[in-house]
Amino acid sequence: MAKTTAHTVRDNDLSRRTSPAAPLADAFEAGSVAGVVELREEPFLTMVGLRVQRGTEVGERIAAVTGGLPEASGGVSGNEDSSVLWLGPTEFLVVAPMEAHETLGGTLIQSLRDALGDGAGQVVDLSANRTTFELTGSRARAVLEKGCSLDLHPRVLEAGTALSTEIGQIPVVLWKTGDESFRIFPRASFADFLGRWLLDAMREFASPEVP
Amino acid sequence: MLLISCPNCGSRDETEFHYGGQAHVPYPENPDELTDRQWAEFLFYRDNTKGSFAERWLHSTGCRQWFNMLRDTVTYDIQAIYPMGAPRPVPDAGEPADFGTASLAPDSTTTGTTGPSVASTDLGPAEPAATAPKGAMK
């Protein structure tokens, strides 16, 4: 019994959790083409929905916790602990590592609640709302361009930009985290469909290029 | 496919938006004084304009904000996009469509009562706001 108590809360929690795209984990690995386009799920990221007006007193308090609030569409701000994505003029999404969640001992959500206090706004734990796909590689953009009407060319979409849009007719938040890496946030119930859609879109890049 | 210029997000496909019906239909000041006929006309009766028509749109897949649009129902030409609560612009008056202002008017559907201050909040790694939002198609 002493051994049981030595288990952390995290061990107990994670053993019971299944991420929305977990059944596709093997398919993601098989469908990834090393160095060309790779897909994997980053499960259980901590996500917090913020509704607050930038520039107000309470907005400044929240911004002090998150490392700023982005100003306009596409903006991403943040610090080393978390990132804040612009979803609307008064709506933001905080994305942080799994360990930031309060069930795993993190303090992010509580510190946001404390910063909000009784001010006008909302701090809502949305960690289970969306899952995260990481699509990387030199052809990642080509895969997304099959189902996304945004201009994804780097001269328009710079790294460090996040936009709400549709990929394969699924509403997602698309975050370009690097020159050849994207994070895609579909809602949990769309994860299976979008995962299969992406795998299908990636298939051609496993074959040798036809000149 | 219409390309609709959201005041917050820039040009996006029509499929990202939802239609909200005719704009500028005021809620009756004293609804309980209306006759059934008047109430039904407020609820259900709308113009069926051939030509320039003011209507509401919601960018449901993007910023989730409402805005008004002046659209020609014959040619589908989008003549103006303006915030909720603003009066209907007159296209022939020479006033060009304002495509770059977020709908932050006090009586718009956004929650705030003032426009956002851009003065003192650190933007972090994000680029300073350009005229057109990033990802906007020209």
Side-chain angles (χ1 to χ4, degrees):
Chain A
M1 289 305 287
K3 197 181 172 194
T4 312
T5 51
H7 277 287
T8 62
V9 177
R10 179 181 155 173
D11 290 334
N12 292 333
D13 270 354
L14 291 188
S15 63
R16 300 175 188 203
R17 297 174 78 180
T18 305
S19 62
L24 291 174
D26 292 339
F28 285 173
E29 203 171 324
S32 292
V33 188
V36 179
V37 57
E38 297 173 59
L39 176 64
R40 65 186 193 88
E41 187 189 18
E42 179 78 49
F44 309 132
L45 291 186
T46 301
M47 297 186 210
V48 189
L50 295 180
R51 296 299 298 252
V52 69
Q53 181 80 42
R54 286 180 78 250
T56 59
E57 191 185 330
V58 59
E60 297 294 333
R61 286 207 302 269
I62 298 251
V65 176
T66 60
L69 294 174
E71 181 183 357
S73 175
V76 178
S77 58
N79 52 30
E80 61 276 8
D81 300 321
S82 62
S83 301
V84 192
L85 280 52
W86 187 97
L87 296 186
T90 60
E91 184 176 13
F92 307 93
L93 181 70
V94 182
V95 181
M98 176 174 68
E99 290 76 16
H101 198 269
E102 50 197 357
T103 54
L104 304 180
T107 58
L108 173 70
I109 301 175
Q110 191 55 48
S111 55
L112 285 170
R113 284 195 196 108
D114 293 342
L116 179 68
D118 55 359
Q122 281 182 343
V123 173
V124 184
D125 176 11
L126 298 179
S127 302
N129 182 23
R130 296 173 186 271
T131 189
T132 308
F133 289 154
E134 294 212 328
L135 187 70
T136 54
S138 54
R139 304 312 294 269
R141 174 163 68 92
V143 169
L144 293 176
E145 279 171 345
K146 295 181 182 185
C148 181
S149 64
L150 291 177
D151 189 349
L152 302 178
H153 193 279
R155 75 175 161 247
V156 176
L157 187 74
E158 297 161 6
T161 305
L163 295 164
S164 300
T165 184
E166 290 176 356
I167 295 173
Q169 297 161 14
I170 302 300
V172 298
V173 179
L174 175 67
W175 179 10
K176 186 172 183 181
T177 51
D179 289 337
E180 293 184 347
S181 60
F182 295 87
R183 271 184 170 180
I184 305 163
F185 301 97
R187 293 213 161 84
S189 54
F190 290 122
D192 184 81
F193 174 86
L194 186 64
R196 292 174 195 273
W197 188 95
L198 288 167
L199 280 173
D200 182 53
M202 288 159 59
R203 249 174 72 186
E204 66 166 299
F205 300 110
S207 309
E209 193 167 347
V210 178
Chain B
M1 175 85 74
L2 289 177
L3 263 185
I4 298 176
S5 195
C6 167
N8 292 304
C9 304
S11 289
R12 299 289 183 95
D13 279 359
E14 177 189 354
T15 52
E16 293 194 6
F17 295 83
H18 273 93
Y19 184 63
Q22 183 179 352
H24 312 299
V25 179
Y27 191 79
E29 278 194 31
N30 297 306
D32 45 354
E33 291 175 7
L34 296 187
T35 64
D36 284 355
R37 173 76 195 179
Q38 288 168 320
W39 181 245
E41 287 190 356
F42 162 69
L43 282 184
F44 305 120
Y45 284 61
R46 294 292 180 267
D47 296 341
N48 186 17
T49 309
K50 182 178 182 183
S52 202
F53 187 52
E55 54 201 11
R56 301 179 297 178
W57 285 81
L58 169 69
H59 192 193
S60 45
T61 312
C63 57
R64 309 208 295 179
Q65 302 297 307
W66 287 93
F67 57 91
N68 288 333
M69 182 195 291
L70 202 59
R71 182 178 63 92
D72 192 304
T73 56
V74 179
T75 63
Y76 284 80
D77 177 36
I78 297 172
Q79 295 161 333
I81 287 175
Y82 56 103
M84 299 298 284
R88 173 180 170 146
V90 184
D92 296 334
E95 186 69 26
D98 187 356
F99 288 97
T101 313
S103 65
L104 286 168
D107 49 355
S108 78
T109 52
T110 52
T111 53
T113 53
T114 55
S117 160
V118 294
S120 56
T121 305
D122 178 26
L123 252 189
E127 295 294 320
T131 317
K134 271 172 282 186
M137 286 172 287
K138 294 292 183 182

